[in-house]
Amino acid sequence: MRSTRCSGPPLHRLADAALSRARALGGGYASCRIQRVRSARLEVADGAVRGSEDTTRTGLGVRVFWGGGWGFAAVPELTPRAAAAAVDRAVTLAKACPGGDADLAAEPVYPEATWVSPYRTNPFDLPEADRVAVLAGWSARLLRAPHVRTVVAYLSTVQDNTFYADLAGTTALQQRVRVHPVLFAFGEDPRTGARAALRTLGPPTARGWEYLEGDGWDWDAELASVPEELAAKLRATPVEPGRYDLVMDPSHLWLTIHETVGHATEADRALGHEMSYAGGTFVRPEDVGSLRFGSPLMHVTADRTSAHGLATVGYDDEGVAARSWDLVRDGVLTGLQHDRRTAARTGAGRSTGCAYAESATHVPLPRMPNVSLRPATGGPGTGALIAGVEDGIYLVGSDAWSIDTRRHSFQFTAQRCYRIRHGRLAGQLAGVAYQGDTTGFWGALRGVGGPDTYGVFGADQCGKGQPLQLAATSHGCPATLFGGVRVVNTGTAAP
C-alpha cells in the first residue's frame, strides 16, 4: 500500500485529544475527522497557460451528540488544544439545538483501518510544466483542423487524505486521488459562418497520471475524432419536434441516471430533510419494495467499492465500511442511499455508507455513491440497437439539463445527436432536447446493451446542502434504447 501524506502518530494524538474531551463531557457519540485536501486546476487556451491554482485545505472537525442535540465544530489548527476546544464548541451548539434524534444504525468497529485508492502515478508528483505540455500538445492537435478556431483545455487533480476516529473505537486512514482532463473545441464553418462547440467525453476518474497516458481512456482516438465530429456538428440540421426512439450512449445516459435515479433515491431527500439547493424527491421511504420506477429491464446498483469510482472509499465519514446494494431491481425500487441516521430513522437496519463531507470544516451529509445501470448479459451492441430503430435519434455525450425540485419532470440535451433512419445514422441534428418524467421515461426503457457497450462516466462537482458542499460520483451504464420519447427543438420551442 502506498504511504499516505496525512499519517503518523500526531493524528492519533489529535483524535485522542478530541475524543477524550468528548468522553469527559459525557457525550453519547463523538467522532473526529482530520482532513487534508489538495486540489489543483490548470487552464490552457490555444496552448498557452491562462490560469493555474494549487490549494491545500487542512483542518479538524468534530461531531457530537450531547444532551439531546447534535453539534459540529471545526478548526484549522492541528493541535490537541484546538481539538479539545472544537469539542467544547460542538457541545455548546448541541446544547442550543435540543430535540435531535440520537439513533444511529449499528456498525462494527474497525480499529486501525487503512485504505488507498488504486493509481500508479500521483499527478502531484509531476512538475506543472509536464502537465501543461500534455494539454498544449493535445490542443495543438485539434488546432491543426482549419475549422477549429479555439481550444480551451482544463485539468483538475485532487488528493484527499482523511483520518477518522470515533468513541466506539474505529480509526480509518484513507487516501484518494482523482484526475479530470477536458478540452473544449470551438469551431466555425468558413462557408456559412455557423459556430459550434464540442467537449471531449473522457470522464473524471479516480486514477493517477496514467489516465492521461491512455490507461482507462483512449485519448488518441478521441482527439483524432473531435475535428471531424465538430465539422459534422457545424453542418447539423435542425431537429423536427416529435416523439422518437432514442438510443443513448453511456457518455450521455450517465447524467440522466445521476439526476433522475441518483438524487431521487437519497434517503435524506425521501425523508424531507434535504430540500435546499437542489430540492427533494418524489420517492418516499415507504415506496421501497413497491414503487414501479421503470421497465423490468431496469436494474440499478449503488456502490462505494468499484475500482476507480469517484465515490469509492474504504470507509465513509461515519466509519461505515464501503459496500454495494441494489436501488432498482426488475424496474422496482428496492433500496435507498443511507447514512447511519437515515438508516435508523427508516428501519433500514444498517447504513449503506453514504456519509461524506467535502472537507474537515463541513458536516457529513448523505451523498451519492457510484450509481450504475447494469448491462444485460448477452445484450446487443450499440450498432444492433441502432439497427432496430426505424426513425430515431442517437445521443452521445452529456450537455445541459433541467429538472424540477422533486426529481420528476426534466429536460436533457447532448453533445452530439445523430438522426437514425431505417436503422442507420444519417447525419447530426441541432437543437435536440428530450423531455419526460422520471418513472415514465424509465418505463419506456426497451433495450439494454451488453457488457461490451458498458462505460463509466461521472461528475466531480456535484453540489448539495447549505452551505454548499461538492462531491464526486461515477455512473456506469450500457448503451440503451428508449421508445417514444418527446423531443423538442431548443431553437424553436420553449423547454
Side-chain angles (χ1 to χ4, degrees):
M1 187 190 79
R2 295 174 178 83
S3 63
T4 64
R5 296 185 178 182
C6 191
S7 60
L11 297 174
H12 286 274
R13 285 206 296 268
L14 290 169
D16 286 344
L19 298 178
S20 296
R21 180 61 176 167
R23 190 178 293 109
L25 294 175
Y29 169 90
S31 64
C32 171
R33 283 183 300 112
I34 304 164
Q35 196 165 10
R36 175 183 184 271
V37 181
R38 182 180 179 186
S39 57
R41 183 172 172 84
L42 181 63
E43 179 179 349
V44 174
D46 293 336
V49 175
R50 191 159 73 178
S52 176
E53 62 181 40
D54 189 334
T55 61
T56 299
R57 291 183 295 171
T58 304
L60 179 150
V62 294
R63 185 178 174 218
V64 303
F65 187 81
W66 195 97
W70 286 94
F72 174 83
V75 292
E77 301 91 352
L78 298 185
T79 65
R81 183 175 181 177
V87 173
D88 290 344
R89 288 167 50 195
V91 168
T92 299
L93 288 173
K95 290 178 180 177
C97 304
D101 187 348
D103 290 340
L104 296 177
E107 182 68 14
V109 172
Y110 308 100
E112 302 295 339
T114 60
W115 185 85
V116 178
S117 65
Y119 64 89
R120 291 205 306 272
T121 303
N122 190 324
F124 289 103
D125 290 342
L126 276 73
E128 183 176 271
D130 290 5
R131 290 178 256 165
V132 171
V134 169
L135 296 188
W138 287 2
S139 301
R141 289 179 59 178
L142 300 182
L143 287 166
R144 292 187 193 118
H147 59 283
V148 177
R149 299 303 175 88
T150 297
V151 175
V152 181
Y154 298 93
L155 174 65
S156 298
T157 53
V158 177
Q159 177 177 323
D160 181 336
N161 296 87
T162 303
F163 179 75
Y164 171 90
D166 60 32
L167 281 179
T170 289
T171 63
L173 179 64
Q174 303 186 90
Q175 176 170 291
R176 300 197 296 167
V177 169
R178 68 175 190 264
V179 295
H180 186 198
V182 61
L183 284 79
F184 292 82
F186 299 87
E188 181 176 354
D189 188 310
R191 295 173 303 166
T192 65
R195 296 180 179 180
L198 199 62
R199 174 171 51 80
T200 52
L201 304 180
T205 182
R207 298 175 188 265
W209 187 254
E210 65 274 8
Y211 180 59
L212 283 83
E213 297 172 336
D215 189 353
W217 190 259
D218 191 342
W219 289 102
D220 281 340
E222 175 160 36
L223 293 171
S225 71
V226 166
E228 181 179 351
E229 296 292 353
L230 179 58
K233 191 171 185 177
L234 289 168
R235 300 190 301 269
T237 56
V239 67
E240 187 69 26
R243 289 193 176 272
Y244 293 87
D245 292 343
L246 303 182
V247 177
M248 298 192 182
D249 187 79
S251 62
H252 173 79
L253 184 62
W254 74 267
L255 182 58
T256 309
I257 293 172
H258 178 91
E259 298 295 340
T260 64
V261 184
H263 281 309
T265 54
E266 293 171 308
D268 57 338
R269 296 186 196 275
L271 286 165
H273 296 173
E274 171 60 33
M275 298 297 290
S276 61
Y277 190 67
T281 175
F282 65 93
V283 172
R284 304 167 302 171
E286 57 267 32
D287 289 334
V288 175
S290 61
L291 175 67
R292 171 59 66 180
F293 208 105
S295 86
L297 297 176
M298 185 185 185
H299 189 161
V300 177
T301 61
D303 80 83
R304 301 203 73 182
T305 63
S306 57
H308 310 299
L310 294 170
T312 297
V313 296
Y315 304 86
D316 78 351
D317 286 342
E318 289 183 326
V320 176
R323 54 182 289 203
S324 60
W325 67 102
D326 285 343
L327 291 174
V328 179
R329 187 187 311 128
D330 301 328
V332 177
L333 180 72
T334 56
L336 299 174
Q337 307 161 36
H338 289 287
D339 65 3
R340 294 179 66 182
R341 293 179 70 181
T342 63
R345 177 69 66 89
T346 60
R350 186 180 176 189
S351 168
T352 54
C354 291
Y356 173 78
E358 179 183 333
S359 75
T361 60
H362 292 86
V363 65
L365 300 173
R367 295 309 308 264
M368 197 186 304
N370 307 304
V371 175
S372 303
L373 178 69
R374 182 174 292 185
T377 302
T382 304
L385 290 172
I386 292 172
V389 174
E390 181 64 20
D391 187 9
I393 301 171
Y394 174 47
L395 300 107
V396 177
S398 60
D399 201 6
W401 81 98
S402 176
I403 192 165
D404 69 21
T405 56
R406 298 184 66 241
R407 298 282 157 185
H408 203 249
S409 298
F410 61 74
Q411 172 174 299
F412 288 88
T413 65
Q415 284 285 311
R416 308 196 305 262
C417 305
Y418 302 85
R419 182 75 186 274
I420 303 174
R421 290 290 290 167
H422 312 305
R424 294 187 175 185
L425 300 185
Q428 289 199 36
L429 295 169
V432 175
Y434 64 91
Q435 300 176 334
D437 64 88
T438 294
T439 52
F441 171 78
W442 285 103
L445 178 63
R446 295 182 182 172
V448 176
D452 289 346
T453 73
Y454 191 82
V456 179
F457 295 83
D460 53 0
Q461 295 194 44
C462 173
K464 182 179 180 181
Q466 287 182 328
L468 176 66
Q469 295 192 41
L470 300 179
T473 178
S474 290
H475 302 287
C477 52
T480 49
L481 168 63
F482 293 82
V485 180
R486 183 188 178 202
V487 171
V488 300
N489 186 330
T490 57
T492 59

